[in-house]
Amino acid sequence: MPGCRGAAPARRWWAVRPRRYRHRYHTDLQEAYAKVLPACDHQPRPKGSGNTSIAEASNCSLRQRCRVLVRKSCSFGKSRTMPTARSKLVSDNYNITLK
């Protein structure tokens, strides 16, 4: 969750998560996560414990392989579907290489 790390943004983030991704969350010790995520699936860990490394690796891979997401300029294409399509292609390709 980039930006503000309060309970309101965490609730908005949780509301848009697809159901198939709503399980086993390893997070840091922020209070907002404990307020929003179900206790049975939330596993808080201190920073540096290594349990969030999978998420960090996929985020880093997405940034490296889909450069349009990290542009310094404010100019983007007119299409709203292309960034989503690019992200999906990169994620799918990354998942295939892990198998």
Side-chain angles (χ1 to χ4, degrees), residues 3-93:
C4 177
R5 299 195 57 180
R11 276 191 211 92
R12 287 193 301 270
W13 174 79
W14 182 252
V16 300
R17 301 297 301 161
R19 290 221 180 264
R20 66 178 180 255
Y21 297 123
R22 290 186 177 191
H23 59 86
R24 300 297 298 298
Y25 283 94
H26 296 278
T27 65
D28 55 12
L29 300 175
Q30 291 291 324
E31 291 179 23
Y33 295 127
K35 291 178 183 176
V36 175
L37 298 176
C40 59
D41 289 331
H42 182 219
Q43 298 181 2
R45 303 281 193 246
K47 291 259 187 198
S49 66
N51 289 317
T52 57
S53 61
I54 295 171
E56 294 299 327
S58 63
N59 290 340
C60 184
S61 177
L62 183 62
R63 281 194 305 271
Q64 294 291 325
R65 297 176 187 198
C66 196
R67 300 303 292 168
V68 72
L69 298 175
V70 291
R71 279 189 188 160
K72 288 186 178 180
S73 68
C74 292
S75 61
F76 292 97
K78 292 180 183 178
S79 171
R80 290 185 176 200
T81 58
M82 284 309 293
T84 305
R86 285 183 181 135
S87 299
K88 183 167 177 17
L89 285 171
V90 169
S91 296
D92 290 346
N93 187 23

